Amino acid sequence: MTTTEALPTSIDQVQNLLRDQQYVADRGLAVAIYLALTLQRPLFLEGEAGVGKTEIARSLALALDTELIRLQCYEGLDVNHAVYEWNHTRQMLEIRLLEATGGVDRASATDDLFSERFLVKRPLLRAIDGSREKAPVLLIDELDRADEEFEGFLLEVLADFQITIPELGTYQATHPPVVIITSNRTREIHDALKRRCLYYWIDYPDYQKELQIVSARLPDAPRRLAQQVTGFIQELRETELYKIPGVSETIDWTSALLALNQTELDAQVIDDTLGIMLKYQDDIELVRGEPVRNILERSQNRGPRRGGRRG
């Protein structure tokens, strides 16, 4: 950030800042975020899809009143999409205009064509733009989906927060970005990159934390409905499913129930809305009908459990 005063000065302040953005962070996560900000180290977050990794970056950007820059990773991600590319369409138009006018010096035309006005800045270059007055939050989302070669390039960028463009020179961050890297652990990330980061595993929340999350994100939800939804989801995660619902599904399901004017759960409305929690037909068929009634009964008879399931 521009000044040290802009950063939280305690772990409690980190929790409070995130809570103001309706993100419930336990102390362990708050410690990791505080140290990442204080030591200016990337924070590497691992965990199952839907447990809130991406939301941390969004909430942190809002809490710090700065821009969130997101790089969504995928197989085949390369420099052109992650760092920069040239606007070839505009360059071609410029060439035609130059040809139409005639008598243009070839060397000066080349310099002009490869100037900043034809440069398309992608997330990594935007994040280290030296003209920034405040450090952004750079979210490198689902790094495990990218190829291993991209990891090597990313390691170089994170080492010095600088990128060299042959035609223009070196760009270096005046205010290094706050870097959040997430992974769903579909493959292992190399130790070389992990060593450069602080690490934190985000698990599925326990009953009390998930209830807090639902109540914070959906304060208009009736207390009984929030409790029933949380209990049902907690019990559902104990079922052998292909894809276990995450916190995002809990929030989406509660929102849908509110839209249906539900004040409490019953087996029929659960059957009708299974597609909000479960994204695979085999999982829906596995729990629809009698299993739903059994899960609902168990969720209402059980007390809150101490910990969330680890995938």
Side-chain angles (χ1 to χ4, degrees):
M1 314 301 287
T2 52
T3 64
T4 55
E5 289 78 7
L7 295 175
T9 56
S10 70
I11 296 165
D12 289 340
Q13 190 179 357
V14 170
Q15 287 183 292
N16 291 335
L17 286 172
L18 293 176
R19 190 177 297 114
D20 289 343
Q21 307 304 324
Q22 290 78 52
Y23 192 96
V24 179
D26 56 34
R27 186 168 179 84
L29 176 57
V31 168
I33 293 173
Y34 173 77
L35 290 175
L37 294 173
T38 304
L39 302 177
Q40 293 189 329
R41 296 276 297 279
L43 177 58
F44 187 88
L45 301 174
E46 252 184 348
E48 301 293 334
V51 294
K53 303 184 298 297
T54 299
E55 194 61 32
I56 288 174
R58 293 196 185 102
S59 300
L60 191 58
L62 289 170
L64 298 176
D65 189 27
T66 191
E67 181 183 1
L68 172 66
I69 299 175
R70 178 177 180 175
L71 173 61
Q72 178 61 55
C73 297
Y74 54 87
E75 186 177 354
L77 178 65
D78 59 15
V79 172
N80 288 340
H81 293 91
V83 187
Y84 76 96
E85 63 180 328
W86 295 104
N87 189 328
H88 299 300
T89 302
R90 284 192 61 196
Q91 285 176 322
M92 289 301 297
L93 289 172
E94 186 73 9
I95 288 171
R96 289 174 183 173
L97 287 172
L98 292 172
E99 288 175 344
T101 59
V104 179
D105 179 70
R106 189 178 296 272
S108 62
T110 300
D111 290 341
D112 184 56
L113 286 171
F114 290 95
S115 61
E116 270 214 23
R117 67 192 184 101
F118 294 103
L119 184 69
V120 180
K121 296 181 180 180
R122 297 304 186 190
L124 292 182
L125 186 57
R126 287 169 50 210
I128 65 167
D129 192 333
S131 65
R132 288 183 174 277
E133 296 182 357
K134 178 183 285 190
V137 172
L138 172 62
L139 169 62
I140 302 172
D141 212 9
E142 298 183 323
L143 180 59
D144 53 318
R145 293 180 180 273
D147 300 325
E148 293 183 7
E149 291 78 4
F150 180 73
E151 273 186 59
F153 174 77
L154 186 61
L155 191 62
E156 294 181 22
V157 174
L158 296 179
D160 301 308
F161 289 111
Q162 68 178 31
I163 294 170
T164 298
I165 299 176
E167 298 86 350
L168 296 176
T170 299
Y171 286 72
Q172 185 162 19
T174 304
H175 305 289
V178 176
V179 181
I180 305 291
I181 304 172
T182 74
S183 168
N184 295 334
R185 209 175 186 181
T186 58
R187 70 170 177 86
E188 288 296 328
I189 303 300
H190 284 182
D191 288 343
L193 191 140
K194 280 189 171 182
R195 283 197 301 269
R196 194 167 295 281
C197 305
L198 303 181
Y199 177 86
Y200 193 82
W201 171 272
I202 300 184
D203 207 346
Y204 292 107
D206 61 17
Y207 174 88
Q208 291 295 348
K209 182 179 178 182
E210 192 155 22
L211 180 58
Q212 276 186 282
I213 294 169
V214 172
S215 299
R217 296 295 298 274
L218 300 169
D220 294 334
R223 181 70 176 176
R224 175 168 171 75
L225 179 64
Q227 291 172 332
Q228 288 182 317
V229 165
T230 303
F232 186 89
I233 290 287
Q234 291 277 316
E235 193 66 41
L236 183 62
R237 290 194 186 119
E238 301 300 320
T239 307
E240 292 298 323
L241 299 172
Y242 181 77
K243 175 63 178 72
I244 298 169
V247 180
S248 57
E249 281 78 29
T250 306
I251 295 169
D252 288 346
W253 188 36
T254 308
S255 297
L257 294 170
L258 291 175
L260 294 172
N261 298 315
Q262 289 291 134
T263 57
E264 62 180 7
L265 283 184
D266 59 61
Q268 184 59 58
V269 77
I270 296 173
D271 272 347
D272 291 342
T273 55
L274 281 174
I276 299 171
M277 294 175 282
L278 306 175
K279 307 303 179 181
Y280 290 89
Q281 183 61 24
D282 289 348
D283 286 346
I284 292 174
E285 292 298 329
L286 180 67
V287 302
R288 175 176 282 155
E290 188 63 26
V292 157
R293 288 189 284 274
N294 293 335
I295 294 170
L296 179 60
E297 183 179 355
R298 291 198 304 271
S299 69
Q300 292 176 336
N301 291 336
R302 65 176 244 181
R305 298 192 178 183
R306 291 184 180 178
R309 165 175 171 166
R310 178 166 179 162

